[in-house]
Amino acid sequence: MAAAPVWSVDPRTGKQREQVAHEATAEEVDRAVRGAHAARAALADRTARAALLRTAADLLDEAGEHVIEAADAETALGPVRLTGELARTTAQLRAFAEVVDEGAFLDVRIDHADADRTPPWPDLRRWKVPLGVVAVYSASNFPLAFSVPGGDTASALAAGCPVVVKAHPDHPATSELCASVLRRAAAEVGLPEDVVNLVHGFEAGVELVRHPLVSAAGFTGSIRGGRALFDAAAARPTPIPFHGELGSLNPVVITEAAAAERAEQIGAGLAGSMTLGEGQFCTKPGFVLAPAGEPGDRLVKSLTTAVSETEPGVMLDHRMRDAFVAGVRERAALPGVDAPITPGAGGEHTVSAGFLTVDAELLATEGAHDLLLEECFGPVTVVARYSSPAEITSVLSRLPGNLTATLQLAEEEADGTAPGAAGLLAELTPLAGRVLVNGWPTGVAVAPAQHHGGPYPATTSTSTSVGATAIERWLRPVSYQSTPAALLPAELRDDNPLDLPRRVDGRPEN
Amino acid sequence: MAAAPVWSVDPRTGKQREQVAHEATAEEVDRAVRGAHAARAALADRTARAALLRTAADLLDEAGEHVIEAADAETALGPVRLTGELARTTAQLRAFAEVVDEGAFLDVRIDHADADRTPPWPDLRRWKVPLGVVAVYSASNFPLAFSVPGGDTASALAAGCPVVVKAHPDHPATSELCASVLRRAAAEVGLPEDVVNLVHGFEAGVELVRHPLVSAAGFTGSIRGGRALFDAAAARPTPIPFHGELGSLNPVVITEAAAAERAEQIGAGLAGSMTLGEGQFCTKPGFVLAPAGEPGDRLVKSLTTAVSETEPGVMLDHRMRDAFVAGVRERAALPGVDAPITPGAGGEHTVSAGFLTVDAELLATEGAHDLLLEECFGPVTVVARYSSPAEITSVLSRLPGNLTATLQLAEEEADGTAPGAAGLLAELTPLAGRVLVNGWPTGVAVAPAQHHGGPYPATTSTSTSVGATAIERWLRPVSYQSTPAALLPAELRDDNPLDLPRRVDGRPEN
């Protein structure tokens, strides 16, 4: 049987552009994993890792025009957004080079022998070592920042783990191009090209998570696909960590005072955030609790105005477009649901943004309206109008886990004296990994303190896929007991030749 | 149907001592979990948590005589060992109180807003929050240190998570006693008693890991039981982290030079470690690579002498005794396996320590002898005699994951100039979470740099169940974005009123 072709498709027309690869057979997946596995030893050198990450960033910047053109042709995300995404991707690679240089991620802890303990303590020296080959499953909606050269790859390489990336079918040509750039970067710094490998195809993705030499996986995508891979990872004879980001509703709560203070500004901000990138961000605000009554009416009016000014747009692929059209139709048909601006099909290849409104009361108990509490990928949000603080609480208690939760407060509520604001913040915190006040959740800063993750189904673990601590996913601790200094890695020696931050005898030492 | 009685059994006679409880019904498990869940808010107070841990330690020490008597009657571990275990348990509770006081586990990271970034960074402040109710599955072999008042409970309470403990059937009376002490400690410091709950019964354990309000689980026990619970945790609609310590062979490699230098000392040390506590430690050295030839012969002789001096002993229960007797019989019957001292049944209620020898060559490839690479709980070890460094490598490559791996070196090998020693250390590191040189793996210091975990099946995650970082299992990060200072928890404020160690703008700050 001939290997199935992998086509690059133009979402603006639905037409095949070119065949860029073929789906990997089980043998080809095996070869890719074994190649990566053999490259582990070379990646043990942290200086080489940092050089790889910086060189990869430089080469991606150099190839920028080409990369952006390829990505736009396959994703229709447009050059402005893709230029930003590339900048974010190369900044992320360089940020992980800094993480590698500083070495705090090694979490070095030294306890000297202590004969006064009962029983006596031996000398113990702990640090973290790379897990091994990491499988990376690319996202549809970020052809760069959450795909081949994205955060999973960057953090895994930073940790010392070679990667095998499963390309997303929405951007195979961009994936091939980026993989070749990363492999060239490896060669330039004297590392094996096989520190980065690429495979295409659904079955290849399943083979990959089951491969005995794969030690961990990172995933960004749908609940259905991610859960299937999570289940496969857990069912292995030797289960492996599966760090998946699956789906998120990203609730927003707008207090009555906030709506009274700036309904127009909030409505416009919400419209911008929910329609950004055709509503295809994992942090799109998909569910909004807004007050009933006049201030809330003003907010809905402002949202109506802003959304009505949005042009139809192209989604990442036609399957998503069709799912969006069907999803909004099903939601809009529920009793009690109105559509001030009806979302749905635009032209033959496009979609139109819109939003739905509903009484929050209908969501306070289980029923058909629970569909409104499920993520609908694309430019739509659901505005639930509440009549009392108790109604906010009862709806929030029914939400699944989220990447983000947002609170819109009035200025008078932000000083901590109004009990309502602190209470709402406390109610939102269990729901999400990032809690925002008076901002919008789209736009995830690649900053050290970022946390991009949240209770299931936002993520399948307690980890983050963005920010300095994303590296922690690919490491495991090892303690050396009573090991002669001459045999210890330099990182664990008393004289600290590499000047690493560490904890000695239970106390931090810089 | 009447609830099944839970009996305390004397392993020295196999006779029932007293009925101490009954197996929890699904309703009772639900009640215990809901009680714990309701106690979460009270545990948010870190000062109260530290007080709880210290008071629990004090009350356990006060009740020491009673606790040790109860545990000895059910486990036959003897007052000396149990006195040590209690001291270790209370020291562990106090150590976690210190961890709570210091606050490094909160992993506070603050990134101030930075308008010079593209796109600009918002203000981000990240810390870790408790996951929720933790299910703790007690171990048979540590009725205190890995049971009701053990490391899982101590670290979960330290993290701010109430616990529901599933008692081990080998020590239900001790479990009841310890739970009552912990609940009394909670009451004394003004916390709800339900921060600690106890259930008995196999079915109750399964109900517990499936309960929607349980957020994580800690387990110490067998591969079979642990894997079943791990699978149940992964199969939930909302999967939860399952930190299980399941089984470990704990390989030891003895170099030829080490055997030549001190065969007698190593043989005696090995005998002591493998027979300690009737070989019922998870860190028992269960597999030893010793050289063929004269130095290895001396080592075997010394091991023979030392083991032959061991008195028959009582295992934790008769099921384990029978499994041990059957397990060693099956192993000893393999072709090419000798038993210089035959392990097996002692008297009607006891077992005799022993060990087996085999050519390492028989283990270099898959076959019936692979049984020798599986843990056999009880006082037995397997000594595989190797003829070349290549044989060590090929046997090590076939081992599953372990808690520990031990290297016995000669003095001349410890200075780092002999390439063999460094190479062996590098081969052992991927196999285990703790690597020892010239020590024995039994005895796990409760020290900050300890790592008690290892590749599967040693543990089902990359976490540790002993040492300061065991607390990390029960936390998840949350970032606050652009949140007014007045609404932030004190832990995340710029002026650092609680004097926490933290990272600000990417740099550590003490």
Side-chain angles (χ1 to χ4, degrees):
Chain A
M1 198 179 81
V6 172
W7 291 88
S8 174
V9 174
D10 180 352
R12 294 182 174 98
T13 63
K15 293 216 169 74
Q16 292 178 339
R17 296 175 56 243
E18 53 171 341
Q19 185 188 334
V20 295
H22 65 268
E23 295 189 359
T25 62
E27 292 69 29
E28 286 165 331
V29 171
D30 182 62
R31 207 178 309 143
V33 173
R34 287 183 190 281
H37 194 253
R40 284 175 312 150
L43 269 189
D45 177 351
R46 284 211 311 289
T47 309
R49 266 139 68 183
L52 167 62
L53 293 164
R54 291 195 173 98
T55 304
D58 292 345
L59 296 185
L60 278 169
D61 278 340
E62 276 173 32
E65 208 175 322
H66 196 177
V67 168
I68 290 164
E69 190 185 305
D72 180 52
E74 295 184 310
T75 65
L77 287 171
V80 173
R81 144 74 192 270
L82 289 166
T83 300
E85 186 177 333
L86 179 61
R88 174 207 169 110
T89 304
T90 55
Q92 183 163 255
L93 287 159
R94 293 185 182 105
F96 276 113
E98 280 182 50
V99 168
V100 173
D101 284 343
E102 197 223 2
F105 75 98
L106 297 170
D107 202 11
V108 172
R109 290 164 195 251
I110 296 176
D111 293 339
H112 292 100
D114 184 347
D116 292 340
R117 302 277 179 169
T118 319
W121 283 1
D123 184 276
L124 280 169
R125 289 156 195 262
R126 176 187 183 273
W127 70 330
K128 290 191 177 175
V129 298
L131 276 178
V133 177
V134 170
V136 172
Y137 294 84
S138 304
S140 61
N141 57 347
F142 279 91
L144 307 173
F146 286 83
S147 290
V148 178
D152 286 349
T153 297
S155 57
L157 293 174
C161 296
V163 298
V164 181
V165 184
K166 191 268 182 188
H168 195 280
D170 279 354
H171 39 74
T174 313
S175 299
E176 284 287 337
L177 177 56
C178 291
S180 74
V181 171
L182 293 181
R183 290 170 65 91
R184 190 149 49 83
E188 279 200 15
V189 301
L191 285 168
E193 293 191 338
D194 273 351
V195 295
V196 176
N197 298 268
L198 183 67
V199 296
H200 298 265
F202 176 84
E203 285 300 332
V206 178
E207 292 284 344
L208 190 55
V209 80
R210 290 187 179 147
H211 196 291
L213 293 180
V214 168
S215 297
F219 172 94
T220 310
S222 69
I223 293 182
R224 192 171 155 184
R227 182 63 193 250
L229 290 168
F230 169 87
D231 288 345
R236 294 165 47 114
T238 295
I240 56 172
F242 184 88
H243 299 284
E245 182 202 317
L246 311 194
S248 182
L249 199 58
N250 304 303
V252 177
V253 176
I254 301 165
T255 66
E256 190 156 10
E261 179 187 271
R262 51 193 165 90
E264 290 68 27
Q265 189 194 333
I266 294 172
L270 174 58
S273 184
M274 61 153 279
T275 60
L276 193 69
E278 302 311 320
Q280 297 172 117
F281 286 106
C282 44
T283 52
K284 178 197 78 175
F287 183 75
V288 181
L289 280 159
E294 191 270 336
D297 290 344
R298 275 168 49 213
L299 194 151
V300 169
K301 194 176 156 201
S302 136
L303 183 61
T304 306
T305 308
V307 174
S308 68
E309 286 162 4
T310 313
E311 296 291 321
V314 177
M315 288 187 71
L316 291 156
D317 65 41
H318 277 59
R319 189 182 47 78
M320 285 186 199
R321 177 189 171 278
D322 298 345
F324 173 73
V325 171
V328 292
R329 188 183 297 136
E330 196 183 355
R331 285 164 174 79
L334 289 167
V337 172
D338 290 320
I341 304 276
T342 306
E348 188 185 343
H349 305 295
T350 56
V351 295
S352 293
F355 71 100
L356 309 175
T357 58
V358 66
D359 266 0
E361 197 183 3
L362 289 171
L363 300 165
T365 50
E366 202 176 327
H369 289 83
D370 284 0
L371 182 61
L372 300 173
L373 306 182
E374 290 177 24
E375 184 182 6
C376 184
F377 199 72
V380 63
T381 196
V382 173
V383 179
R385 309 285 301 269
Y386 65 83
S387 306
S388 69
E391 219 166 75
I392 299 178
T393 299
S394 60
V395 175
L396 290 182
S397 75
R398 304 200 57 246
L399 296 187
N402 295 276
L403 292 167
T404 72
T406 300
L407 185 55
Q408 296 287 344
L409 295 176
E411 203 178 329
E412 74 211 46
E413 293 172 305
D415 66 1
T417 52
L424 283 170
L425 209 65
E427 283 185 64
L428 291 177
T429 300
L431 292 179
R434 179 164 54 110
V435 179
L436 304 87
V437 176
N438 291 353
W440 297 103
T442 44
V444 181
V446 184
Q450 185 58 271
H451 185 71
H452 189 63
Y456 187 89
T459 36
T460 58
S461 69
T462 57
S463 66
T464 179
S465 59
V466 179
T469 56
I471 195 173
E472 294 174 2
R473 298 176 294 171
W474 320 121
L475 300 159
R476 72 174 176 95
V478 173
S479 286
Y480 288 92
Q481 180 174 325
S482 309
T483 301
L487 295 177
L488 282 172
E491 288 81 354
L492 298 181
R493 292 190 191 157
D494 274 333
D495 58 348
N496 199 6
L498 304 175
D499 198 25
L500 294 168
R502 56 186 193 173
R503 290 178 73 94
V504 178
D505 297 324
R507 295 285 151 219
E509 180 197 276
N510 286 99
Chain B
M1 199 179 80
V6 171
W7 290 90
S8 174
V9 175
D10 181 352
R12 294 183 174 97
T13 62
K15 293 216 169 76
Q16 292 178 338
R17 297 174 58 243
E18 53 171 341
Q19 185 189 334
V20 296
H22 65 268
E23 296 190 358
T25 61
E27 291 68 30
E28 286 165 332
V29 172
D30 181 63
R31 207 177 309 141
V33 173
R34 287 183 189 281
H37 194 254
R40 284 174 313 150
L43 268 188
D45 176 352
R46 285 211 311 290
T47 309
R49 264 138 70 182
L52 167 62
L53 293 164
R54 291 195 173 99
T55 304
D58 292 345
L59 295 185
L60 279 168
D61 277 339
E62 275 173 33
E65 207 175 322
H66 196 179
V67 169
I68 289 164
E69 190 184 306
D72 181 53
E74 295 184 308
T75 65
L77 286 171
V80 173
R81 144 73 193 270
L82 289 165
T83 301
E85 186 177 332
L86 179 61
R88 173 208 171 109
T89 303
T90 56
Q92 183 163 254
L93 287 160
R94 292 184 182 106
F96 276 114
E98 281 181 49
V99 167
V100 173
D101 284 343
E102 197 222 2
F105 75 97
L106 296 170
D107 201 10
V108 172
R109 293 165 194 250
I110 295 176
D111 294 339
H112 292 100
D114 185 347
D116 292 339
R117 303 276 179 170
T118 320
W121 283 1
D123 184 275
L124 280 169
R125 291 158 193 260
R126 177 188 183 271
W127 70 330
K128 290 191 177 175
V129 298
L131 276 179
V133 176
V134 170
V136 171
Y137 294 85
S138 304
S140 62
N141 57 345
F142 279 90
L144 307 173
F146 288 83
S147 290
V148 178
D152 286 349
T153 297
S155 57
L157 293 174
C161 297
V163 299
V164 181
V165 184
K166 191 268 182 188
H168 195 281
D170 280 355
H171 38 73
T174 313
S175 298
E176 285 286 339
L177 177 56
C178 291
S180 74
V181 172
L182 294 179
R183 289 171 66 91
R184 190 149 48 86
E188 278 200 15
V189 302
L191 285 168
E193 294 192 338
D194 273 351
V195 296
V196 175
N197 298 270
L198 183 67
V199 296
H200 298 266
F202 175 84
E203 284 301 333
V206 178
E207 292 284 345
L208 190 55
V209 81
R210 291 187 179 146
H211 197 290
L213 293 180
V214 168
S215 297
F219 172 94
T220 311
S222 70
I223 293 183
R224 192 170 157 186
R227 182 63 193 251
L229 290 169
F230 169 87
D231 289 344
R236 292 164 50 114
T238 295
I240 56 171
F242 184 87
H243 300 284
E245 182 203 317
L246 311 193
S248 183
L249 200 57
N250 303 303
V252 177
V253 176
I254 301 164
T255 65
E256 191 155 12
E261 180 186 271
R262 51 193 165 87
E264 290 68 27
Q265 189 194 331
I266 293 172
L270 174 58
S273 184
M274 61 154 277
T275 60
L276 193 70
E278 301 311 320
Q280 298 171 119
F281 285 107
C282 44
T283 53
K284 178 198 77 173
F287 183 75
V288 182
L289 279 159
E294 191 269 336
D297 290 345
R298 276 168 47 214
L299 193 151
V300 169
K301 195 174 154 204
S302 134
L303 183 61
T304 306
T305 307
V307 173
S308 68
E309 285 163 3
T310 313
E311 296 290 324
V314 177
M315 289 187 69
L316 290 156
D317 65 42
H318 278 58
R319 188 181 48 78
M320 285 187 197
R321 177 190 172 277
D322 298 345
F324 173 73
V325 171
V328 293
R329 187 183 297 136
E330 194 183 355
R331 285 165 175 78
L334 290 166
V337 173
D338 289 321
I341 304 278
T342 305
E348 187 186 343
H349 304 297
T350 57
V351 295
S352 293
F355 70 101
L356 309 174
T357 60
V358 65
D359 268 0
E361 197 183 1
L362 289 170
L363 300 166
T365 49
E366 200 175 329
H369 289 83
D370 285 359
L371 183 61
L372 299 173
L373 305 182
E374 289 177 24
E375 182 181 8
C376 184
F377 198 73
V380 62
T381 197
V382 174
V383 179
R385 308 284 301 268
Y386 65 84
S387 305
S388 68
E391 220 165 75
I392 299 178
T393 300
S394 61
V395 175
L396 288 182
S397 76
R398 303 200 59 246
L399 295 188
N402 295 276
L403 291 167
T404 72
T406 301
L407 184 56
Q408 295 287 345
L409 295 176
E411 203 179 328
E412 73 209 47
E413 293 173 306
D415 66 1
T417 54
L424 282 170
L425 209 65
E427 284 184 62
L428 290 177
T429 300
L431 291 178
R434 180 164 54 111
V435 179
L436 304 88
V437 175
N438 291 353
W440 297 104
T442 44
V444 180
V446 184
Q450 184 58 271
H451 185 71
H452 189 62
Y456 188 88
T459 34
T460 57
S461 69
T462 57
S463 66
T464 179
S465 58
V466 179
T469 56
I471 195 174
E472 295 175 2
R473 298 175 294 171
W474 320 122
L475 299 159
R476 71 174 177 95
V478 173
S479 287
Y480 288 92
Q481 179 174 324
S482 309
T483 300
L487 295 177
L488 284 172
E491 289 81 356
L492 298 181
R493 292 189 190 157
D494 274 332
D495 58 348
N496 199 7
L498 304 175
D499 199 25
L500 294 167
R502 56 186 193 173
R503 290 178 73 93
V504 178
D505 297 324
R507 297 284 149 220
E509 180 197 276
N510 286 101

